[in-house]
Amino acid sequence: LPCASQLLVRFLYPSGWLVETPTITENGEAGNIGANNYVKGDSANFASLPVPRGKTLDALDKEFFKNWLSSQMANDVYEDVKVKKIRQVTQPDGTEMLKVDFGYTLLTRAGFTVLRQGIASAMITNDAVVGIVSATTQLRYKELSASFETMADSFRAYTVKAPALGFDNPL
């Protein structure tokens, strides 16, 4: 997202997961928005890519979402990202979003490969496709799929105005 864009991002996640938020310093903002169970390899991370010119959310294809999903992964640790299904959903509060079922192969630093599976939800805010990408090992997916659906359904991103704190005014 452009530097001037500020979003309020919210989503539910399982109790006990560690939350990660960006760090804001005098040099700007850096970091990730997410919640993870690092011990078991479960994750939910924010992802964002600009909306291609002239496209609407329902016109985006599997190739776009393949890139969107991998935008929040380190380039050398995954391969074979597959978008299995894209579902258009209107949430009870009227929010239009897409839910994306996907899978990929994780390449660990120790040389192992781990099949991962997940659900993501995406919406358009500030000319960007934003959403939460939740994934776990293929073996744990069935156990966590209901939690992942809840995380996907609960995701929202709202445009907010920067607070006027008055720090720009000298005393």
Side-chain angles (χ1 to χ4, degrees):
L1 291 172
C3 299
S5 299
Q6 293 191 16
L7 297 178
L8 172 63
V9 173
R10 73 166 173 91
F11 62 96
L12 298 174
Y13 54 88
S15 175
W17 283 27
L18 297 176
V19 175
E20 184 179 356
T21 58
T23 302
I24 302 170
T25 68
E26 61 276 356
N27 295 323
E29 187 173 343
N32 183 36
I33 299 170
N36 297 273
N37 179 342
Y38 292 102
V39 173
K40 298 195 175 178
D42 311 329
S43 65
N45 291 297
F46 179 80
S48 172
L49 277 181
V51 178
R53 177 167 264 132
K55 294 279 188 174
T56 59
L57 190 60
D58 59 344
L60 299 172
D61 60 10
K62 287 184 175 184
E63 194 60 34
F64 174 85
F65 281 104
K66 191 171 148 179
N67 292 328
W68 180 77
L69 290 163
S70 60
S71 70
Q72 48 83 37
M73 301 177 196
N75 286 341
D76 62 339
V77 297
Y78 71 91
E79 66 180 12
D80 199 26
V81 176
K82 286 192 172 102
V83 173
K84 298 175 181 178
K85 186 177 181 183
I86 298 174
R87 301 174 273 155
Q88 189 165 358
V89 178
T90 302
Q91 296 295 350
D93 66 358
T95 303
E96 295 288 330
M97 62 176 34
L98 295 179
K99 289 171 77 173
V100 182
D101 299 309
F102 67 95
Y104 65 96
T105 303
L106 175 71
L107 308 171
T108 69
R109 305 275 189 229
F112 300 105
T113 59
V114 179
L115 298 176
R116 291 183 57 83
Q117 192 170 339
I119 299 171
S121 61
M123 58 189 291
I124 293 180
T125 303
N126 276 13
D127 297 323
V129 176
V130 297
I132 197 77
V133 177
S134 306
T136 189
T137 63
Q138 196 172 47
L139 294 173
R140 288 180 48 78
Y141 182 77
K142 187 173 184 177
E143 174 187 339
L144 292 172
S145 63
S147 292
F148 284 0
E149 287 284 347
T150 299
M151 280 189 275
D153 287 336
S154 72
F155 176 82
R156 299 292 185 278
Y158 307 98
T159 303
V160 294
K161 287 178 67 173
L165 300 175
F167 294 130
D168 297 336
N169 299 332
L171 296 176

